[in-house]
Amino acid sequence: MENGDTKPRRAGGRLCCLCNNRRAALKRPKTLEQICRECFYEVFEEEIHQVIVDNQLFKPGERIGIGASGGKDSTVLAYVLSELNRRHNYGLDLFLLSVDEGITGYRDDSLETVKRNEVQYGLPLKIVSYKDLYGWTMDEIVKMIGLKNNCTFCGVFRRQALDRGAALLKVDKLVTGHNADDIAETVLLNILRGDVARYELLLEIEQMYCNYNRRRRANSEMQTFQNLNLICTYAYFKRLDYFSTECIYSPNAYRGFAREFIKDLERMRPRAILDIIKSGEDFRIATTTKMPEQGNCARCGYISSQKWCKACVLLEGLNRGLPKIGIGRSRGIDNDHQKEMKRSNGSKNIESKQCGTLDF
Amino acid sequence: MACNSSSGCQSGGCYKNEEDSLRDQTPTPTATGTGGGGGGGVCIKCKTNPPISTTSTSSSPLDADNSRFCFDCFRSNLYGKFRLAVTSHAMISPSDNVLLAVSGGPASRVTLQFVHEMQVRAQKNLDASREKALPVFGVGVAFVEESCVSSVSSDQVDRAVEEMRVITSNLSPPMKQFHVVPIQNVYASDPPEDAKDRFRKLLDAVTDATGKEDLLLHMRMLALQKVASENGYSRLVLGSCTSRIACHVIAATVKGQGYSLSADIQYVDSRWQVPVVLPLRDCTEQELNLLCRLDGLVLNGTLLSSWQGSLKTPQLCMNPTSGINGLVSSFVTLLKEENPSRECTIVRTAGKLTPFHFNRVPETNDCNGSSATLRRLKKYNLNTKESLSSELFCPICNSPLQSSDFLGSPKITKSVSFDAACCSSCRFQILPKDPSSLELFSLLLPQQVVGRAKNDSCGNLNLLRERIQDCLLSDSEDET
Amino acid sequence: MKLTIEFGGGLELLCDSVKIHKVNVELKNGEKKLTMKDLLAWVGSNLIKERPEMFMKGDSVRPGVLVLVNDCDWELSGQLDTTLEDEDVVVFISTLHGG
């Protein structure tokens, strides 16, 4: 009996549902099919390819910046994208773009990973730093404002830094590697902090990858985001070189709760993550919450729906020693403009979302 | 209250302005700060009586905000929230006959108490005015008895029912009729024993633990609707409190029911034959527990003790113990410990979603005073003109379906299979996967449910096409 | 029983930043086979040096930790009941860290 239990696994276990040839290595959360490693690569890469094709994300000859943090998501993205570019002749010029927030013991290490990736994938790398752009490192900012709200600064600055880096590289589009878990987490966190309307905007920005080319979401969106487990498995199987440490300034108890909750859910019902994303997309949000109009910041010229962009507002506060400026909602400042302000604040905050580090 | 201190309520207080104006003496943040610190002193509202925190030793940290009030002020605050919900959403009008679903837990116990008090006041007014123009609304109480699927012994159930009957009869005059509703009553025509058996089989056919819980919930609603309409009630009152609703918000999101979510969490839900109202939507579990404790409201001891730890809980919005619902409920508890106002933030967030046209009291019901009602409804931003009264519903959970649910199931244009008429969530967690067990399962379902499916899918195909068309149109409009 | 145990995705930080551990796990008295459940307990008390709660929850791994036995997701081999054999490779990867 004992032998019977172990034998099938030894002898190859169950065969892959797709090729019926090799030993299955994992279960697809979406379909619960058991598939082998090779078919997994194939399915994983082709899904991303399909998203790119269906959404016409790229045109031949375009210069594409890949937001690279050194973490698993962006590493997998960089790898898969350069693979697909070769395989399907996208005709793209790919670049790695990293932001150096100036966090000792976190970003400096992860940047080393990106530098290795530059060599491994043969993609040119550009690093933009907060210090150069704003005159402040995150270490200095945290020293000044403490651990509360620091993620707001970081998020706003990073979003803009990526865009400025994109401009420096003269890329047409910017690609970021958000995964399904991040998005599901965002949906939940928005509910927990009282914000549903943010979500739609968030999707636009994160999914469209491209600030200059916002387009409507396509129907195939469910497939856009790869499941986090798959990303990790892929990265492991492919022996991709990625960096994995939590940002040392990352706070917020309930964010941790939400992440753990999602993991618990996934264990109980793998499709729950995709269901959360579906819910987030299906929420009946009043049509009055329109996309804010785009203009340019009067100070730095960066796109903004306000007179000054959020980064400039925050920076002004820092430089004047009043870091509270620009943080949180505008309640109490000006009741007449409260609604308007709130909306624009919301949209600003969304722009700041990067790689799962939601500001709060 | 709880919100003054928290970071969870960035955009506006936890309570709507209308409520603040009712509780006009709501403490300002400064008053809260000074009143709370010392622990001694007086109630922060009336400034005369000692606060609960000093009179009662047993209040938990979660009650910190409430316990700064004296008992009278706390109670009138809570009653005020209830009354505001009832009046501003026209939940109960004088000609109504309301059926209250009770479970034996604190939420439904408080509802019963409050509805009773409201009824007594209405009676007093009537007696004083001597004009018989406005009758006093009638109240009935229903308890869904689920012994056929729970592990509780019939002896215990009998005792519980008796306790509930006594509680109800003590709350008179005015007299309240008490109904015991066996869950298997969802089968109209079957003899009792067959019905029990069939119901058991129905639940057993669901393999997913969460799906089983949810199906029981839907069946409970069906049983309540049945007893309400058979006995001429015009409203069904549920004791769903903020905490329960917060759990539902998260659970529905997790189950992919984002579209229909906003239908379930409004004060009024008239997609049912007998409209459902939730007057305790703004009261939290802690407040209700505190009131029960301080007010000496007798809870159903038998029920509480016997159901504890067993899978089947008595409440209508059940206190889940396993599966997704259980996970969600412990998640919300965790959040609440970190920040007590989190659950009201969750409900407020979900409240921002656009409600459905049926989330208000149907107009045909009562012509008197309807202009006032309309005015009030407007205040709550409920668009009464929304003409899309032709929503399609999932036959099992009665959730409004969205067009992508149909688009995703090409079957619907050809054959009318039962699963095609259901929402994707029920399809996944309740319906059996293979066709033959699905067939069996639909035979076990109450006739009403199956009928709902048939009506929906046959009669409304055109409607469906229209709706899809509509969606496509509105989509392209959005594209700017 | 000789096993190779590998930590990734940040979990290596819990065991002195060593990623690959070649270990020899003694079977308990009277036991004939080693299951993942036994191995987890062993890893928890022998390899994990700090913050065990980042690795274990109850008697299983914390949700968000991937487990591969011989490059095969342990969901396919019975999770905690997976029986291990000599020279098996067990990999733990945390999915929770970093973006």
Side-chain angles (χ1 to χ4, degrees):
Chain A
M1 201 59 226
E2 272 164 37
N3 264 343
D5 276 347
T6 54
K7 264 279 142 36
R9 188 164 65 83
R10 288 301 132 188
R14 297 178 60 164
L15 287 180
C16 167
C17 297
L18 296 179
C19 64
N20 233 332
N21 188 17
R22 288 171 294 254
R23 188 167 71 94
L26 70 154
K27 230 191 247 175
R28 292 181 73 190
K30 212 173 291 178
T31 58
L32 299 181
E33 287 169 324
Q34 305 195 352
I35 54 176
C36 68
R37 241 209 265 191
E38 283 70 20
C39 289
F40 165 59
Y41 295 152
E42 170 102 13
V43 170
F44 185 90
E45 290 159 8
E46 284 312 303
E47 256 181 26
I48 296 177
H49 172 61
Q50 211 51 50
V51 170
I52 291 171
V53 172
D54 289 350
N55 296 286
Q56 301 170 0
L57 292 180
F58 309 125
K59 291 190 200 85
E62 276 183 331
R63 293 163 67 91
I64 305 295
I66 302 170
S69 65
K72 53 193 175 294
D73 300 310
S74 57
T75 305
V76 167
L77 179 72
Y79 175 82
V80 172
L81 212 54
S82 57
E83 255 326 281
L84 292 176
N85 190 26
R86 240 192 314 275
R87 187 183 306 161
H88 296 284
N89 295 317
Y90 290 163
L92 301 176
D93 275 335
L94 299 178
F95 301 88
L96 294 175
L97 175 56
S98 286
V99 177
D100 183 2
E101 296 95 339
I103 303 175
T104 316
Y106 169 63
R107 191 49 88 204
D108 46 356
D109 291 351
S110 66
L111 282 176
E112 289 308 311
T113 314
V114 184
K115 284 175 190 161
R116 285 198 299 275
N117 289 342
E118 178 183 18
V119 180
Q120 289 156 353
Y121 309 146
L123 303 177
L125 166 69
K126 170 84 195 166
I127 300 177
V128 288
S129 75
Y130 284 7
K131 186 73 182 174
D132 292 346
L133 288 178
Y134 308 110
W136 292 77
T137 65
M138 267 320 281
D139 286 341
E140 289 162 355
I141 292 174
V142 168
K143 208 176 271 173
M144 171 145 173
I145 66 166
L147 284 175
K148 219 183 160 199
N149 294 322
N150 58 316
C151 289
T152 306
F153 282 89
C154 196
V156 171
F157 286 170
R158 192 191 298 112
R159 180 71 230 170
Q160 199 183 89
L162 272 175
D163 274 314
R164 294 201 176 172
L168 285 175
L169 278 172
K170 296 201 177 54
V171 294
D172 300 294
K173 285 167 186 167
L174 193 62
V175 187
T176 60
H178 288 93
N179 60 54
D181 294 54
D182 286 342
I183 306 290
E185 189 178 305
T186 307
V187 174
L188 276 185
L189 287 180
N190 282 346
I191 295 176
L192 298 190
R193 69 175 156 222
D195 213 340
V196 280
R198 265 188 197 193
Y199 175 70
E200 229 181 349
L201 272 162
L202 176 70
L203 263 185
E204 296 273 348
I205 289 164
E206 302 202 330
Q207 206 230 327
M208 284 305 105
Y209 313 131
C210 167
N211 238 329
Y212 318 107
N213 181 25
R214 288 194 185 144
R215 1 182 285 113
R216 227 184 131 67
R217 289 176 287 141
N219 288 332
S220 60
E221 190 169 317
M222 287 294 276
Q223 299 154 18
T224 316
F225 307 107
Q226 287 291 353
N227 182 287
L228 182 53
N229 276 355
L230 293 186
I231 289 178
C232 289
T233 313
Y234 188 91
Y236 174 77
F237 281 159
K238 286 277 188 180
R239 298 291 188 273
L240 298 185
D241 184 3
Y242 72 88
F243 176 80
S244 48
T245 306
E246 204 64 60
C247 172
I248 49 175
Y249 296 139
S250 181
N252 259 322
Y254 74 81
R255 184 190 174 84
F257 295 156
R259 197 172 277 198
E260 194 131 323
F261 173 60
I262 288 177
K263 282 292 152 199
D264 281 333
L265 276 175
E266 186 184 26
R267 182 174 281 191
M268 191 178 283
R269 181 183 281 188
R271 72 175 240 161
I273 289 183
L274 294 180
D275 274 342
I276 293 175
I277 297 177
K278 174 173 155 46
S279 284
E281 286 165 4
D282 293 348
F283 281 150
R284 286 163 52 98
I285 298 168
T287 43
T288 47
T289 41
K290 283 260 156 66
M291 291 268 294
E293 283 183 26
Q294 292 294 323
N296 288 321
C297 170
R299 203 160 187 230
C300 68
Y302 176 73
I303 51 160
S304 166
S305 53
Q306 300 283 299
K307 193 174 157 221
W308 282 14
C309 71
K310 186 83 172 175
C312 285
V313 175
L314 290 176
L315 201 56
E316 176 74 6
L318 277 178
N319 290 334
R320 282 170 46 192
L322 300 167
K324 286 266 149 50
I325 289 181
I327 298 229
R329 302 295 165 97
S330 49
R331 196 137 76 103
I333 296 173
D334 185 345
N335 272 334
D336 284 343
H337 294 129
Q338 192 171 335
K339 257 191 190 155
E340 194 190 329
M341 292 279 284
K342 200 152 88 188
R343 212 180 58 200
S344 53
N345 257 353
S347 69
K348 283 295 181 41
N349 284 343
I350 293 156
E351 289 183 8
S352 71
K353 302 295 187 301
Q354 261 313 302
C355 301
T357 42
L358 299 158
D359 63 309
F360 187 59
Chain B
M1 312 211 299
C3 308
N4 291 331
S5 58
S6 75
S7 58
C9 295
Q10 294 196 329
S11 48
C14 258
Y15 299 102
K16 298 193 181 74
N17 299 333
E18 288 81 359
E19 275 165 66
D20 283 340
S21 65
L22 175 100
R23 305 176 307 130
D24 43 9
Q25 286 145 42
T26 301
T28 57
T30 42
T32 314
T34 52
V42 292
C43 163
I44 49 172
K45 188 175 174 188
C46 65
K47 309 261 191 294
T48 47
N49 297 326
I52 296 170
S53 54
T54 55
T55 56
S56 154
T57 50
S58 57
S59 70
S60 71
L62 285 179
D63 293 335
D65 285 291
N66 289 316
S67 59
R68 287 197 289 256
F69 293 97
C70 70
F71 172 62
D72 286 339
C73 290
F74 164 70
R75 194 183 200 288
S76 64
N77 274 352
L78 202 59
Y79 182 78
K81 283 201 251 182
F82 162 83
R83 215 189 55 123
L84 181 77
V86 170
T87 54
S88 59
H89 296 89
M91 286 182 189
I92 303 176
S93 63
S95 57
D96 272 330
N97 200 17
V98 305
L99 180 65
L100 215 83
V102 296
S103 62
S108 59
R109 182 63 189 87
V110 172
T111 321
L112 176 58
Q113 190 67 32
F114 282 175
V115 168
H116 169 66
E117 286 170 25
M118 191 169 256
Q119 196 190 22
V120 168
R121 278 176 212 198
Q123 185 69 52
K124 268 189 196 146
N125 288 345
L126 178 72
D127 293 345
S129 73
R130 305 228 161 266
E131 282 174 45
K132 303 292 174 198
L134 288 178
V136 174
F137 65 91
V139 178
V141 175
F143 171 68
V144 181
E145 180 268 305
E146 285 160 15
S147 58
C148 78
V149 285
S150 80
S151 52
V152 182
S153 73
S154 62
D155 184 44
Q156 275 177 309
V157 172
D158 290 346
R159 247 189 304 149
V161 167
E162 212 34 56
E163 280 180 51
M164 210 87 78
R165 198 188 299 279
V166 172
I167 292 174
T168 310
S169 66
N170 283 343
L171 291 176
S172 58
M175 241 281 285
K176 292 167 188 61
Q177 210 186 346
F178 182 69
H179 309 265
V180 179
V181 190
I183 185 88
Q184 64 271 20
N185 273 14
V186 291
Y187 302 114
S189 47
D190 296 27
E193 276 315 305
D194 293 1
K196 272 189 191 179
D197 199 43
R198 189 169 162 195
F199 193 79
R200 254 178 244 134
K201 275 186 189 150
L202 177 73
L203 280 197
D204 285 346
V206 183
T207 46
D208 186 278
T210 316
K212 206 187 281 270
E213 281 180 8
D214 288 356
L215 180 62
L216 183 59
L217 211 69
H218 306 321
M219 290 301 118
R220 219 177 271 164
M221 182 55 118
L222 210 60
L224 283 169
Q225 283 292 327
K226 196 154 173 288
V227 70
S229 60
E230 281 171 0
N231 291 279
Y233 289 100
S234 55
R235 292 282 184 278
L236 179 61
V237 182
L238 301 186
S240 310
C241 60
T242 308
S243 320
R244 279 293 159 73
I245 296 173
C247 285
H248 181 77
V249 170
I250 305 284
T253 305
V254 167
K255 292 169 197 164
Q257 298 162 334
Y259 177 75
S260 60
L261 167 61
S262 65
D264 310 334
I265 55 161
Q266 308 298 329
Y267 294 90
V268 179
D269 177 359
S270 50
R271 77 189 113 151
W272 308 92
Q273 191 182 356
V274 179
V276 174
V277 296
L278 313 178
L280 292 195
R281 188 180 179 273
D282 301 319
C283 307
T284 68
E285 206 166 24
Q286 294 93 270
E287 290 173 323
L288 300 174
N289 284 335
L290 187 62
L291 182 73
C292 283
R293 206 167 59 213
L294 298 171
D295 216 5
L297 292 182
V298 184
L299 298 175
N300 194 309
T302 315
L303 273 182
L304 288 182
S305 57
S306 67
W307 259 292
Q308 221 130 49
S310 99
L311 181 77
K312 305 288 175 288
T313 50
Q315 271 95 342
L316 185 77
C317 266
M318 88 175 108
N319 196 6
T321 50
S322 64
I324 302 283
N325 299 327
L327 208 55
V328 167
S329 129
S330 45
F331 175 56
V332 173
T333 308
L334 196 67
L335 292 170
K336 206 157 65 179
E337 281 163 12
E338 184 238 353
N339 180 347
S341 67
R342 187 69 68 200
E343 55 188 21
C344 88
T345 312
I346 294 173
V347 174
R348 194 164 40 79
T349 314
K352 288 183 193 166
L353 299 173
T354 316
F356 287 80
H357 63 91
F358 51 74
N359 285 128
R360 58 190 166 82
V361 172
E363 279 162 52
T364 49
N365 188 27
D366 185 18
C367 299
N368 302 342
S370 64
S371 64
T373 307
L374 279 179
R375 221 179 305 128
R376 276 195 297 261
L377 289 176
K378 245 176 220 140
K379 209 160 87 181
Y380 283 89
N381 223 351
L382 282 175
N383 189 357
T384 51
K385 278 183 215 138
E386 194 182 353
S387 58
L388 204 96
S389 53
S390 43
E391 209 79 42
L392 293 182
F393 297 96
C394 167
I396 293 183
C397 65
N398 210 15
S399 296
L401 299 173
Q402 77 192 116
S403 44
S404 67
D405 273 339
F406 312 121
L407 293 170
S409 60
K411 276 184 218 157
I412 188 148
T413 45
K414 297 189 190 100
S415 71
V416 184
S417 67
F418 180 73
D419 61 332
C422 297
C423 71
S424 61
S425 179
C426 286
R427 268 205 296 262
F428 172 74
Q429 64 170 15
I430 295 182
L431 296 186
K433 299 288 169 289
D434 67 294
S436 60
S437 354
L438 181 66
E439 182 79 5
L440 262 170
F441 182 77
S442 58
L443 289 178
L444 288 168
L445 280 167
Q447 194 48 46
Q448 207 184 335
V449 173
V450 183
R452 217 148 54 182
K454 285 220 176 87
N455 284 342
D456 267 9
S457 18
C458 295
N460 293 335
L461 261 181
N462 282 334
L463 169 73
L464 184 82
R465 294 212 180 88
E466 269 170 42
R467 285 210 48 212
I468 293 171
Q469 210 69 41
D470 279 357
C471 284
L472 294 176
L473 280 178
S474 64
D475 256 20
S476 55
E477 271 168 18
D478 281 0
E479 207 153 6
T480 43
Chain C
M1 181 179 292
K2 286 203 181 68
L3 297 172
T4 305
I5 296 177
E6 195 178 329
F7 295 94
L11 282 177
E12 66 274 14
L13 298 176
L14 306 183
C15 27
D16 299 335
S17 297
V18 179
K19 282 199 172 182
I20 297 175
H21 301 250
K22 300 259 184 211
V23 299
N24 196 353
V25 181
E26 293 296 323
L27 289 180
K28 266 185 257 164
N29 281 344
E31 293 286 331
K32 287 204 181 95
K33 55 178 187 174
L34 182 76
T35 63
M36 276 304 294
K37 193 176 166 157
D38 305 327
L39 181 69
L40 280 180
W42 188 89
V43 168
S45 50
N46 290 281
L47 296 182
I48 303 292
K49 300 284 165 30
E50 53 181 303
R51 289 177 290 165
E53 73 280 0
M54 299 290 285
F55 179 67
M56 303 276 286
K57 184 171 178 181
D59 60 0
S60 187
V61 291
R62 184 177 163 193
V65 175
L66 283 177
V67 184
L68 303 175
V69 179
N70 299 328
D71 275 358
C72 174
D73 193 327
W74 76 332
E75 277 191 34
L76 302 188
S77 54
Q79 299 190 342
L80 285 173
D81 298 327
T82 308
T83 314
L84 296 167
E85 291 183 5
D86 216 29
E87 305 291 334
D88 273 355
V89 180
V90 182
V91 183
F92 300 98
I93 310 170
S94 168
T95 63
L96 293 171
H97 288 290

